[in-house]
Amino acid sequence: MTDTSLIKIKINNKELEVDKNLTVMQACEIAGEEIPRFCYHDKLSIAGNCRMCLVEIEKAPKLVSSCTMPLMEGMSVITNSEKVNAGRKGVMEFLLINHPLDCPICDQGGECDLQDQAMYYGFDKSRYSENKRAVDNKNMGPLVNTIMTRCIHCTRCVRFATEVAGVPELGMLGRGENAEITTYLENSITSELSGNVIDLCPVGALTSKPYQFKARPWELKRTDSIDIFDSVGSNIRIDSRAEEILRVTPRTNENINEEWISDKVRFNYDGYYQQRIDTPYIRKNQRLEISNWDETLKELTNKLKASQPLALIGELVDVETGYAVKKFMQNFGEDNVECRTDNQFIHNDLNSFRFNTPINKIEDSDLIVLIGTNPKIETPIINHKIFKAYNNGAVIFSIGENISLNYETKHLGTKLSELENENFLKNIKKSKNPIIIIGSSYLNNLKNVHTYKSLISFSHQFKLITKDKNNLNFLNPFASRIGQLLIGNTTKNHCEPFTKLLNQKFDTVLSFGSEKIADSSFDSYYRIYFGHHGDEGAMKSDLVLPTPLFTEKNGIFVNIEGRPQEARKCHNPIGSGKEEWAILKKLSQNLSYDFEPNTFDELREELFKKHPKLFEFQEIIHEDSREPLVGEDILFEDCKPLRIIENFYMSDIISKNSVTMAKCVEEILDKPLMEKSA
């Protein structure tokens, strides 16, 4: 049977079959022909502004822009003729009439599309003697630096703000040579994805303010890693020089973040070095004093010999550390490790705590229900996917706090029982691919497992859960959570696990990056803090042990949909910090406990034997339900939603110590720094 979607064309006299819905530029790329461009981007609408992508089409009276030209049967395209080269050189000459000679001082130098293409299509001198135009720089907030004289009016930034970020706060005023890109009313861009315009800009008009004049790209060491500041696991590249991280940029992963990252992971790296714990501390005379490893480990060993400890796992902890903690704590009994310090409900089943709809399939939904979540500040990439679904015609309902998002939502109320709203039921019955997203603000306040069983029943009834799919999704904003739950770092309590732990007979608490030990509930406990930043938990601890940041060691994190990924080491740890597994190894020796791995590789090998799926990087983990919950009669508990993240820019210990994030709070959120600190 003939495929009617394919047509035959010629590109540089070579025949090929391509999809008829493609443009000439896309077909040329399939044929291996590189077409220069400035305005075109495959994630944005087609503008056809720059005309750099000119090609020659047989029988056409003049050159055409390949990005806007649809394909036709029998079309013959020439990309490398003298006529085409002359046309592109003419376009380049016009672009350079007003462009300043800023390459030696421009942060885009070495990575500039205009610079690269000018080497091929440009001239060594200009035929124009008129004065170059000058354009005032615009205020785009504390993150994006503007030098608008360099702008070539490609409008990528404008289209990104409208079509991807969903905040139409950029636009172009004027015409021709007098055109200017500007923000409305000279205000900061309010999107959590605003920094992506830096990558999109093909020239040096939009650059990073924190990175300004710091380095040239060829000086940087590049390390592939992942974002651990929310649960999505966006793929990133960390650029460093010596022992200092200078910038963070996205890596393309179509299954997760496409080619976008949030402003927090892009700009909070200055917080990596602020308020760092670089040496052990012991509390003496009611104050923390500098110590050394020998003294600290001796004190800790003596304490653990006669105690009943509890271990808490923080939000930025890798799977290997969690496994080492679990292995160590087994010497003291069972049910003594907990990663759900926020009281989140889970059941002992992978599908009961992850985001079951693949992230790249959210945009295919025609109805989405947001329950107790604000994806805009909890997981901006998930919010972007919902925005794409909205643009595709999806109807968005919300239950919980009535929040303002960058798309229209129909607020049903604050109670879970609103799922039985008559108007809503009419919509979900008509829906072909509905999705429910339940956020932590509800899950952290569930007191009855029957509520979860009711959600299961509801999902089966309205075909959110079938043999082929599961569209009942649980959204938590923490990077470590799914991985820690997969290896069993949790107690047996379904509801209120943390509250119930406090009723146990523990007298010592070991915190691995969890600020929860600062709670007054632990005032009677002996507190031990393993971490890299001096947060409130560290300040109230009796022992403080320095550990590396995620950029200072290798570690596995499992994203919200159950996809394992690896964060890789960029440089050595600051100060005398030691990896958690190594500290626990030494403690085990002191206590005469069994802890077999002698190296990190051996620890990983042991982890692989018990959890081999964790090493299938970039593949979603699928496993049979261990103890699947069976749905019951629908009876929803009307628990009050508790807000999890109040401030996008300062949701974790690293971001709280970032000067750049503090500026965002002050300028974008319009909150005075003193108020923020309080």
Side-chain angles (χ1 to χ4, degrees), residues 49-65:
N49 294 339
C50 71
R51 322 306 289 181
M52 196 65 202
C53 63
L54 293 173
V55 296
E56 186 177 358
I57 295 178
E58 191 176 79
K59 298 180 180 179
K62 58 183 180 180
L63 300 176
V64 300
S65 60

Side-chain angles (χ1 to χ4, degrees), residues 26-44:
Q26 291 168 325
C28 289
E29 289 182 341
I30 292 172
E33 301 291 339
E34 186 176 352
I35 306 295
R37 81 291 300 269
F38 291 116
C39 67
Y40 176 82
H41 192 278
D42 57 6
K43 297 294 182 183
L44 305 175

Side-chain angles (χ1 to χ4, degrees), residues 208-221:
S208 169
K209 271 189 181 178
Y211 178 66
Q212 190 175 19
F213 307 138
K214 290 289 180 65
R216 289 300 193 182
W218 54 84
E219 301 174 333
L220 302 174
K221 171 191 169 186

